Amino acid sequence: AGERALQLESVAVDDLLEQTAARFARRATHNGIRLRVGERTPGILHADRACMHRMLDNLVDNALRFTPRGGEIRLAAWAAEDGVVLEVSDTGDGMSEEQLSRLSQPFALSDAAFTRSHSGVGLGIAISRAIAEISGGRLAIDSRINVGTTVAISLPLEADARPRSDLAQAA
């Protein structure tokens, strides 16, 4: 709601992903879902640590709710031209174009939420999108029914913490 000022600090991308995976590991195992973290990605975000965790927690929570037993959720990150992309992908139910168009509105649940027994009020994606945007980034969703969903968040890196390969190319 814009009521809280961001508490900006250096946040290591790898630590952010590893800590998120650790928080959800037990639930994923209990649900029979593989939770993986992609390859290490150097980079330091200048961001609000609590907001970054909340954003990823919302996305992983959604993925766990809509991924059936035997499925997989993957957290990954990679360096982009002007920042980093964080990604949460799953092999869950997926969504139609119509469902995707409604998804970022607060309190809008996908139709799958009504056909399966899932709790929640439908704020996760809207909150995650707002956090990405106030952090200088953006959130994009790609989803296919019966294939899964990928949510990608692009965020700027701390100016002096870009990966070495990016610094060499910029020179």
Side-chain angles (χ1 to χ4, degrees), residues 122-135:
L123 289 172
I125 293 292
I127 289 170
S128 295
R129 182 180 304 279
I131 290 170
E133 290 173 357
I134 64 171
S135 299

Side-chain angles (χ1 to χ4, degrees), residues 43-165:
I44 306 293
L45 297 170
H46 189 63
D48 185 305
R49 183 180 308 274
C51 285
M52 293 293 106
H53 282 293
R54 180 157 187 201
M55 177 178 66
L56 287 175
D57 286 357
N58 286 341
L59 299 176
V60 173
D61 180 67
N62 281 348
L64 281 167
R65 282 198 246 162
F66 295 102
T67 300
R69 182 170 289 280
E72 180 175 289
I73 297 169
R74 183 170 179 262
L75 287 91
W78 64 87
E81 184 176 312
D82 58 350
V84 67
V85 175
L86 306 177
E87 185 177 272
V88 177
S89 57
D90 66 59
T91 59
D93 297 342
M95 294 172 278
S96 68
E97 289 294 323
E98 181 184 338
Q99 290 168 318
L100 279 172
S101 69
R102 295 189 318 254
L103 192 59
S104 292
Q105 300 170 20
F107 306 107
L109 295 171
S110 70
D111 291 345
F114 298 109
T115 61
R116 294 180 52 186
S117 58
H118 299 292
S119 61
V121 294
L123 289 172
I125 293 292
I127 289 170
S128 295
R129 182 180 304 279
I131 290 170
E133 290 173 357
I134 64 171
S135 299
R138 62 190 177 112
L139 181 144
I141 304 170
D142 183 35
S143 189
R144 305 269 188 272
I145 291 179
N146 297 322
V147 174
T149 300
T150 297
V151 180
I153 305 107
S154 61
L155 295 165
L157 284 174
E158 224 173 45
D160 60 345
R162 292 190 322 197
R164 290 273 177 224
S165 62

